[in-house]
């Protein structure tokens, strides 16, 4: 057997501890698959006294993770601290500077800085791996980059944030409102104290930008991702979606059109019988559509210590076995800029929910606003009658361009009989 691969782990939180435990418990199986042992020789975190679930007495402890990244004994640095800037970035830069391979689970950093890091790694003939950064335990980077390499991808989409999916699933199952379910998720530890990254679509946008880069061979372009979260989805919308045969999911979608690449994260209505609609709770899923392969669906746990450690371990085994593929599937200098399609030019069918005063002429005014913008209505639901009171009115439209839909919504919102800003959810056809 070859000499062991010596690794340093920066960050021993949820993922870092999981990695230490996996490498400890699965040492033999990992060594057989890697052709050599993978040995942790150095670690760094903030609190040295905290129990990480493994014996670290013979492992060098660094107060300074950046200094550890320069340790001459180390072959690979695993960055599991997190954050788009600061110490995580310094750890990776220092490791590459000192000619060490790097593995990270840091989607924020890869989404902001992935192309630059890939270039740096390639210039020095080093490996940069980030399987754990997208969809946790689901080996989606490897699947897109290697398993589907013979295809031109047309669309890649998925449920990329388990917290949002858990909230939407629980709202539907219990018939509760968003705020109530979020508070309960926070109590149970499924949502962070500051949930905005998950709930406002930012985390999914990071992952989508990385996926789009791997899937479409373009530099990572986080700024090109349209991002909208789930705060405005109400129990009422979920009920209407059910009535219309849909489920509401927060999806990240990258799609190649004649105009360029769409990258968007927003709540979607998807037909109940589609595979993605059945992905519930904290589970993630990624669907890739390729010209030769057709549709491939990958589903599993998108977060948590053990699934994420599984992805980090796979990256380490590849490095130990000297299997190398450029980080984004082709050399970073060959990544091709594809124009981003602005959201205003996106075409979709739409679900609209209004709260209106139940009085004669209201529907005619709404229909006129839609007609003026050439938005064609497909169906309408008006539940119950309550003359003079507020009632919900729901409409679905035929495919229309987003800019026209937005103009129509502005006109509708300005009507006296419309009591709240209209709620709009895009209907995605899979
Ligand atoms: N959690 C998941 O399920 C998951 C899934 C996929 C990807 N990720 C990504 O994995 C990364 C780590 O996430 P996590 O959930 O494991 O985070 P976490 O539980 O908050 O752990 C962060 C770790 O970094 C250490 N740390 C913080 N500042 C440090 C510094 N200046 N120097 C050295 N160590 C420092 C902390 O030390 P102390 O323990 O001493 O405080 C802690 O061990 C993030 O990029 C995240 O996005 C997480």
């Amino acid at each position: 057997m070859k000499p062991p691969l010596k690794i340093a782990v920066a960050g021993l939180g949820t993922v870092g501890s999981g990695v230490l435990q996996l490498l400890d418990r699965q040492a033999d199986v990992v060594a057989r698959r890697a052709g050599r042992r993978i040995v942790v020789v150095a670690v760094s975190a903030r609190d040295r006294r905290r129990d990480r679930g493994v014996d670290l007495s013979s492992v060098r402890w660094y107060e300074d993770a950046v200094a550890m990244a320069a340790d001459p004994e180390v072959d690979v640095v695993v960055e599991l601290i997190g954050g788009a800037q600061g110490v995580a970035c310094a750890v990776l830069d220092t490791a590459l500077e000192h000619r060490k391979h790097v593995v990270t689970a840091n989607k924020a950093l890869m989404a902001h800085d992935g192309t630059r890091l890939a270039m740096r790694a390639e210039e020095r003939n080093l490996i940069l791996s980030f399987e754990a950064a997208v969809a946790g335990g689901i080996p989606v980077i490897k699947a897109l980059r290697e398993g589907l390499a013979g295809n031109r991808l047309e669309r890649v989409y998925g449920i990329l944030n388990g917290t949002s999916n858990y909230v939407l699933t629980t709202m539907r199952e219990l018939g509760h409102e968003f705020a109530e379910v979020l508070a309960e998720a926070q109590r149970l530890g499924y949502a962070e104290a500051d949930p905005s990254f998950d709930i406002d679509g930012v985390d999914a946008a990071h992952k989508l930008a990385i996926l789009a880069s791997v899937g479409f061979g373009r530099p990572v372009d986080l700024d090109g991702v349209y991002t909208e979260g789930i705060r405005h989805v109400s129990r009422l919308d979920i009920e209407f979606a059910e009535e219309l045969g849909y489920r509401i999911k927060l999806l990240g979608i990258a799609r190649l059109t004649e105009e360029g690449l769409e990258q968007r994260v927003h709540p979607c209505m998807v037909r109940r019988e589609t595979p993605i609609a059945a992905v519930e709770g904290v589970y993630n899923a990624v669907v890739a559509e390729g010209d030769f392969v057709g549709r491939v669906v990958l589903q599993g746990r998108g977060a948590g210590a053990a699934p994420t450690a599984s992805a980090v371990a796979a990256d380490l085994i590849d490095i130990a076995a000297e299997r190398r593929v450029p980080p984004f599937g082709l050399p970073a200098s060959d990544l091709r800029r594809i124009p981003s399609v602005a959201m205003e030019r996106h075409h979709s069918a739409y679900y609209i929910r209004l709260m209106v005063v139940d009085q004669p002429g209201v529907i005619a005014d709404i229909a006129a606003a839609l007609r003026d913008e050439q938005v064609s209505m497909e169906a309408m639901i008006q539940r119950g009658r309550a003359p003079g009171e507020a009632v919900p009115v729901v409409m679905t439209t035929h495919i229309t361009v987003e800019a026209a839909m937005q103009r129509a919504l502005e006109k509708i919102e300005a009507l006296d009989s419309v009591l709240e800003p209209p709620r709009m959810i895009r209907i995605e056809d899979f």
Side-chain angles (χ1 to χ4, degrees):
M1 218 182 234
K2 282 193 268 175
L5 183 79
K6 294 176 185 163
I7 71 165
V9 182
L12 305 175
T14 305
V15 182
S17 302
V19 168
L20 294 184
Q21 289 167 29
L22 185 152
L23 292 176
D24 184 46
R25 285 187 210 150
Q26 316 270 64
D28 290 342
V29 77
V30 166
R32 284 188 59 204
R33 292 192 175 134
R36 60 207 283 204
R37 298 197 87 74
I38 297 179
V39 179
V40 180
V41 296
V43 293
S44 178
R46 280 176 304 203
D47 182 355
R48 190 169 185 168
R49 285 158 306 167
R50 190 175 294 173
D51 179 15
R52 312 291 175 172
V54 289
D55 177 14
L56 292 174
S57 54
S58 58
V59 176
R60 265 199 305 291
W61 177 274
Y62 276 90
E63 295 296 329
D64 180 355
V66 180
M68 181 177 75
D71 183 328
E73 203 209 337
V74 167
D75 302 315
V76 182
V77 173
V78 184
E79 183 280 305
L80 304 170
I81 294 174
Q85 286 109 23
V87 63
C89 189
V91 165
L92 289 184
D93 276 331
T94 306
L96 293 172
E97 190 61 45
H98 287 79
R99 302 204 164 270
K100 296 170 197 317
H101 302 300
V102 289
V103 175
T104 181
N106 192 333
K107 51 241 170 175
L109 180 54
M110 286 304 298
H112 281 95
D113 225 6
T115 317
R116 182 187 71 79
L117 288 167
M119 283 192 173
R120 257 195 119 189
E122 285 172 22
E123 276 159 23
R124 290 165 170 75
N125 201 22
L126 295 165
I127 300 172
L128 160 67
S129 303
F130 49 89
E131 183 64 70
V134 181
I138 310 175
V140 59
I141 300 294
K142 211 175 178 63
L144 289 188
R145 192 176 58 188
E146 291 153 59
L148 301 178
N151 289 264
R152 279 177 200 282
L153 294 185
E154 286 142 21
R155 184 161 60 172
V156 179
Y157 58 94
I159 295 175
L160 301 174
N161 184 269
T163 305
S164 301
N165 204 44
Y166 170 83
V167 169
L168 291 173
T169 302
T170 310
M171 285 173 72
R172 184 180 60 75
E173 285 175 352
L174 302 183
H176 292 171
E177 282 296 356
F178 170 81
E180 198 180 339
V181 174
L182 177 61
E184 180 66 0
Q186 286 171 314
R187 204 183 57 76
L188 294 171
Y190 294 154
E192 304 276 335
D194 175 3
S196 54
F197 256 49
D198 293 323
I199 295 307
D200 296 327
V202 180
D203 175 73
H206 289 155
K207 294 168 183 167
L208 183 72
I210 300 168
L211 271 187
S213 186
V214 176
F216 297 97
R218 48 133 44 189
V220 191
D221 175 21
L222 182 61
D223 291 342
V225 183
Y226 170 83
T227 308
E228 189 186 304
I230 62 166
R231 282 183 203 270
H232 65 77
V233 176
S234 79
R235 184 176 55 82
L236 211 50
D237 297 320
I238 289 175
E239 283 171 18
F240 278 119
E242 285 289 306
E243 199 172 325
L244 292 162
Y246 295 104
R247 287 269 152 87
I248 300 178
K249 296 287 174 192
L250 180 71
L251 297 187
I253 302 169
R255 187 168 75 110
L256 206 51
T257 71
E258 282 169 11
E259 294 182 46
L261 189 71
E262 289 181 355
Q263 295 184 91
R264 44 197 172 85
V265 171
H266 53 75
C268 294
M269 286 209 181
V270 293
R271 292 226 64 92
R272 216 167 23 213
E273 57 277 11
T274 54
I276 202 94
V279 178
E280 298 278 47
V282 294
Y283 278 84
N284 282 20
V286 174
V287 183
E289 294 169 355
D291 53 355
F292 270 65
V293 73
R295 181 190 283 171
V296 174
V297 183
L298 297 160
Q299 182 184 344
R301 291 187 185 276
T308 314
S310 155
V312 172
D315 282 346
L316 287 168
I317 291 169
D318 273 351
I319 294 174
E322 291 170 22
R323 283 192 287 267
R324 56 170 72 208
V325 182
F328 293 102
L330 56 158
S333 51
D334 290 350
L335 295 171
R336 210 163 29 93
R337 291 204 175 274
I338 308 172
S340 291
V341 182
M343 200 59 194
E344 305 84 71
R345 301 186 63 82
H346 171 59
H347 286 75
S348 178
Y350 295 85
Y351 157 96
I352 313 293
R353 178 175 57 79
L354 308 169
M355 291 303 287
V356 302
V357 186
D358 189 359
Q359 65 188 24
V362 174
I363 300 299
D365 290 344
I366 294 165
L370 293 171
R371 182 205 55 215
D372 289 354
E373 295 299 339
Q374 270 102 48
V375 177
S376 136
M377 206 192 298
E378 193 207 19
M380 194 183 86
I381 307 174
Q382 187 182 6
R383 237 200 242 145
R385 291 288 330 264
E389 309 262 309
V391 289
V393 170
V394 161
M395 288 165 290
T396 55
T397 75
H398 290 289
I399 300 244
T400 190
V401 66
E402 175 99 5
M405 190 70 245
Q406 295 290 359
R407 285 194 301 271
L409 289 176
E410 277 170 32
K411 288 184 179 160
I412 289 170
E413 188 171 356
L415 296 170
D416 289 340
S417 49
V418 173
L419 302 171
E420 290 176 8
R423 298 296 181 202
M424 177 271 272
I425 299 177
R426 298 169 189 89
I427 299 174
E428 206 66 34
D429 182 25
F430 293 128

